[in-house]
Amino acid sequence: MAIIELNNIGKVFRTREIETTALENVNLSVEKGEFLSIMGPSGCGKSTLLNIMGLLDNPTSGTVRITDTDCASLSDTARARFRNSNLGFVFQSFHLIPSLNVAANIELPLDYRSDSGQRQERVREVAERLGIAHRLKHLPSQLSGGQCQRVAIARAIVGRPSIILADEPTGNLDSRMGNEVMDLLHELNRRDGITVVMVTHNEEQARRTDRIVRFFDGRIIN
Ligand SMILES: Nc1ncnc2c1ncn2[C@@H]1O[C@H](COP(=O)(O)OP(=O)(O)OP(=O)(O)O)[C@@H](O)[C@H]1O
Ligand SMILES: [Mg+2]
């Protein structure tokens, strides 16, 4: 069963002077439970596609279906709620909030859900799972890069999403930290059945996943 279905996706960025075609006629379905890698040269549209898949950006044309919901039909609030409960995001540069400690960063996706006691419990549970429970009171600036990415992954899974979208999650990490983050993503995929779509420039990491989709110039080439 497809959990993500992209149909004829096109994306054109328009400013007053320039028009950039970032994606053209992209068709892709991701199976439930799959670990998919997206590869391709810089500027070929990988992040643009991931943002569209994650409902962070709208396509210029085409349709996005996630867990059988036509996402274009959702209102802004419904879309935010849908994103919040189905999708977890992990980025190359972590995107943690510098003024919030680790616990508060992890708790962010739960802000509009459940009571505070349950939230704390859930935060502690994922922090323990990711080996950062002893750093809950630290600020992001007091952590290593690998620890920051663990916090970001904890934040991505705290709401129990069915899908994780990761844009070069190991891009800022050394190879040892990178391997640890990859092991975590594989464990979340295998043990928890979370579908993972990951953009990477690392062939070795990509080979460990179920399938590689290659992009060139805004199109899928295989
Ligand atoms: N907000 C924007 N406005 C205008 N053009 C954009 C915008 N975002 C991306 N682009 C253009 O769209 C194309 C695809 O960009 P994208 O960020 O998706 O590439 P990428 O494959 O993720 O590259 P990288 O591997 O370097 O991260 C590029 O030509 C880029 O310049
Ligand atoms: Mg990118």
Side-chain angles (χ1 to χ4, degrees):
M1 188 197 105
I3 191 166
I4 303 173
E5 264 189 87
L6 304 179
N7 228 300
N8 272 315
I9 297 291
K11 179 69 180 180
V12 180
F13 290 104
R14 285 193 183 89
T15 63
R16 225 174 307 153
E17 294 99 50
I18 46 164
E19 211 178 85
T20 314
T21 301
L23 296 171
E24 245 184 300
N25 203 8
V26 173
N27 291 291
L28 178 63
S29 49
V30 183
E31 294 298 303
K32 191 171 182 335
E34 192 173 17
F35 194 144
L36 178 78
S37 298
I38 297 177
M39 299 196 79
S42 183
C44 70
K46 304 180 297 296
S47 295
T48 304
L49 188 77
L50 211 69
N51 289 341
I52 288 172
M53 249 187 223
L55 312 181
L56 297 169
D57 198 0
N58 290 312
T60 312
S61 55
T63 57
V64 180
R65 291 184 78 82
I66 298 175
T67 63
D68 252 343
T69 303
D70 177 3
C71 297
S73 68
L74 301 173
S75 69
D76 284 353
T77 352
R79 162 186 285 255
R81 198 173 309 132
F82 183 86
R83 189 195 303 125
N84 191 262
S85 53
N86 289 285
L87 301 163
F89 295 90
V90 180
F91 301 94
Q92 174 175 7
S93 49
F94 321 133
H95 289 198
L96 300 175
I97 298 188
S99 58
L100 296 180
N101 71 19
V102 166
N105 264 288
I106 297 175
E107 193 184 337
L108 278 173
L110 300 180
D111 255 7
Y112 305 102
R113 293 200 246 167
S114 58
D115 65 58
S116 161
Q118 280 175 342
R119 293 207 303 264
Q120 301 306 320
E121 199 177 308
R122 186 79 191 121
V123 166
R124 174 148 287 279
E125 203 179 300
V126 292
E128 265 160 23
R129 170 122 193 236
L130 292 180
I132 45 172
H134 59 310
R135 293 286 183 270
L136 284 174
K137 298 251 156 64
H138 282 57
L139 291 172
S141 61
Q142 299 165 331
L143 301 177
S144 73
Q147 287 170 334
C148 283
Q149 199 57 303
R150 282 165 182 272
V151 175
I153 294 173
R155 180 186 55 188
I157 63 169
V158 75
R160 301 198 168 104
S162 47
I163 301 166
I164 292 179
L165 302 175
D167 196 350
E168 302 189 44
T170 66
N172 281 346
L173 304 176
D174 67 30
S175 63
R176 192 174 66 88
M177 291 287 187
N179 285 336
E180 282 180 22
V181 163
M182 285 308 299
D183 289 346
L184 277 167
L185 290 175
H186 278 284
E187 186 190 304
L188 292 167
N189 174 246
R190 262 190 245 111
R191 209 175 100 185
D192 303 59
I194 299 177
T195 304
V196 183
V197 180
M198 173 180 75
V199 170
T200 182
H201 285 286
N202 185 316
E203 282 283 347
E204 201 183 313
Q205 285 177 3
R207 273 200 304 270
R208 275 185 67 194
T209 65
D210 298 327
R211 179 160 63 116
I212 305 177
V213 167
R214 290 181 199 274
F215 268 75
F216 189 78
D217 235 358
R219 292 167 170 275
I220 292 180
I221 53 171
N222 79 354

Short mmCIF file of all heavy atoms in Angstrom, two decimals, residues 102 106 123-137:
data_model
loop_
_atom_site.label_atom_id
_atom_site.label_comp_id
_atom_site.label_asym_id
_atom_site.label_seq_id
_atom_site.Cartn_x
_atom_site.Cartn_y
_atom_site.Cartn_z
N VAL A 102 16.67 21.22 25.75
CA VAL A 102 16.42 19.99 25.00
C VAL A 102 15.00 19.49 25.20
O VAL A 102 14.27 19.19 24.24
CB VAL A 102 17.46 18.91 25.40
CG1 VAL A 102 17.05 17.54 24.91
CG2 VAL A 102 18.84 19.29 24.86
N ILE A 106 12.10 19.09 22.27
CA ILE A 106 11.47 17.80 21.93
C ILE A 106 9.95 17.90 22.07
O ILE A 106 9.19 17.32 21.30
CB ILE A 106 12.01 16.67 22.84
CG1 ILE A 106 13.51 16.48 22.61
CG2 ILE A 106 11.27 15.36 22.57
CD1 ILE A 106 14.15 15.47 23.55
N VAL A 123 8.20 12.90 26.45
CA VAL A 123 9.50 13.51 26.16
C VAL A 123 10.61 12.66 26.78
O VAL A 123 11.61 12.33 26.13
CB VAL A 123 9.59 14.96 26.70
CG1 VAL A 123 11.02 15.46 26.71
CG2 VAL A 123 8.71 15.89 25.86
N ARG A 124 10.41 12.27 28.04
CA ARG A 124 11.42 11.47 28.74
C ARG A 124 11.62 10.12 28.03
O ARG A 124 12.74 9.66 27.84
CB ARG A 124 11.01 11.28 30.21
CG ARG A 124 11.88 10.36 31.01
CD ARG A 124 11.96 10.76 32.47
NE ARG A 124 12.78 11.95 32.67
CZ ARG A 124 14.11 11.94 32.72
NH1 ARG A 124 14.79 10.83 32.57
NH2 ARG A 124 14.79 13.05 32.91
N GLU A 125 10.51 9.53 27.62
CA GLU A 125 10.56 8.23 26.94
C GLU A 125 11.42 8.29 25.66
O GLU A 125 12.31 7.47 25.47
CB GLU A 125 9.13 7.87 26.59
CG GLU A 125 8.81 6.42 26.38
CD GLU A 125 7.31 6.30 26.07
OE1 GLU A 125 6.49 6.69 26.93
OE2 GLU A 125 6.98 5.85 24.96
N VAL A 126 11.16 9.29 24.79
CA VAL A 126 11.93 9.35 23.54
C VAL A 126 13.37 9.79 23.82
O VAL A 126 14.29 9.31 23.16
CB VAL A 126 11.32 10.27 22.46
CG1 VAL A 126 10.03 9.70 21.93
CG2 VAL A 126 11.12 11.68 22.94
N ALA A 127 13.58 10.64 24.83
CA ALA A 127 14.94 11.07 25.16
C ALA A 127 15.76 9.88 25.62
O ALA A 127 16.93 9.73 25.27
CB ALA A 127 14.91 12.16 26.23
N GLU A 128 15.14 8.99 26.41
CA GLU A 128 15.85 7.80 26.86
C GLU A 128 16.18 6.89 25.68
O GLU A 128 17.29 6.41 25.54
CB GLU A 128 15.01 7.04 27.90
CG GLU A 128 15.42 7.45 29.30
CD GLU A 128 14.38 7.13 30.36
OE1 GLU A 128 13.53 6.25 30.11
OE2 GLU A 128 14.41 7.79 31.41
N ARG A 129 15.21 6.72 24.83
CA ARG A 129 15.40 5.88 23.65
C ARG A 129 16.57 6.38 22.80
O ARG A 129 17.33 5.60 22.24
CB ARG A 129 14.10 5.90 22.84
CG ARG A 129 14.20 5.28 21.51
CD ARG A 129 13.20 4.17 21.38
NE ARG A 129 13.48 3.38 20.22
CZ ARG A 129 12.60 3.15 19.27
NH1 ARG A 129 11.37 3.61 19.38
NH2 ARG A 129 12.92 2.42 18.24
N LEU A 130 16.74 7.69 22.72
CA LEU A 130 17.78 8.26 21.87
C LEU A 130 19.07 8.58 22.63
O LEU A 130 19.99 9.18 22.08
CB LEU A 130 17.26 9.50 21.14
CG LEU A 130 16.18 9.16 20.11
CD1 LEU A 130 15.69 10.39 19.40
CD2 LEU A 130 16.70 8.18 19.08
N GLY A 131 19.11 8.20 23.90
CA GLY A 131 20.35 8.36 24.65
C GLY A 131 20.68 9.80 25.00
O GLY A 131 21.85 10.17 25.12
N ILE A 132 19.67 10.65 25.16
CA ILE A 132 19.94 12.05 25.50
C ILE A 132 19.19 12.47 26.76
O ILE A 132 19.10 13.67 27.06
CB ILE A 132 19.56 13.00 24.33
CG1 ILE A 132 18.20 12.61 23.77
CG2 ILE A 132 20.62 12.99 23.24
CD1 ILE A 132 17.66 13.58 22.77
N ALA A 133 18.70 11.48 27.53
CA ALA A 133 17.91 11.80 28.73
C ALA A 133 18.72 12.58 29.76
O ALA A 133 18.18 13.35 30.54
CB ALA A 133 17.35 10.52 29.35
N HIS A 134 20.05 12.41 29.76
CA HIS A 134 20.90 13.13 30.72
C HIS A 134 21.20 14.55 30.25
O HIS A 134 21.96 15.26 30.88
CB HIS A 134 22.20 12.35 30.92
CG HIS A 134 22.99 12.16 29.65
ND1 HIS A 134 22.44 11.67 28.49
CD2 HIS A 134 24.28 12.43 29.35
CE1 HIS A 134 23.36 11.63 27.54
NE2 HIS A 134 24.48 12.09 28.04
N ARG A 135 20.63 14.97 29.14
CA ARG A 135 20.90 16.32 28.60
C ARG A 135 19.62 17.15 28.48
O ARG A 135 19.62 18.18 27.80
CB ARG A 135 21.54 16.19 27.21
CG ARG A 135 22.95 15.59 27.21
CD ARG A 135 23.97 16.59 27.75
NE ARG A 135 25.31 16.06 27.71
CZ ARG A 135 25.88 15.38 28.68
NH1 ARG A 135 25.19 15.09 29.79
NH2 ARG A 135 27.13 14.94 28.58
N LEU A 136 18.56 16.75 29.13
CA LEU A 136 17.26 17.42 28.92
C LEU A 136 17.27 18.90 29.29
O LEU A 136 16.53 19.69 28.71
CB LEU A 136 16.15 16.69 29.70
CG LEU A 136 15.69 15.37 29.07
CD1 LEU A 136 14.71 14.64 29.99
CD2 LEU A 136 15.05 15.62 27.71
N LYS A 137 18.13 19.29 30.25
CA LYS A 137 18.14 20.69 30.69
C LYS A 137 19.15 21.53 29.91
O LYS A 137 19.28 22.73 30.15
CB LYS A 137 18.48 20.74 32.20
CG LYS A 137 17.45 20.05 33.08
CD LYS A 137 16.65 21.08 33.87
CE LYS A 137 15.29 20.57 34.30
NZ LYS A 137 15.37 19.44 35.24
#
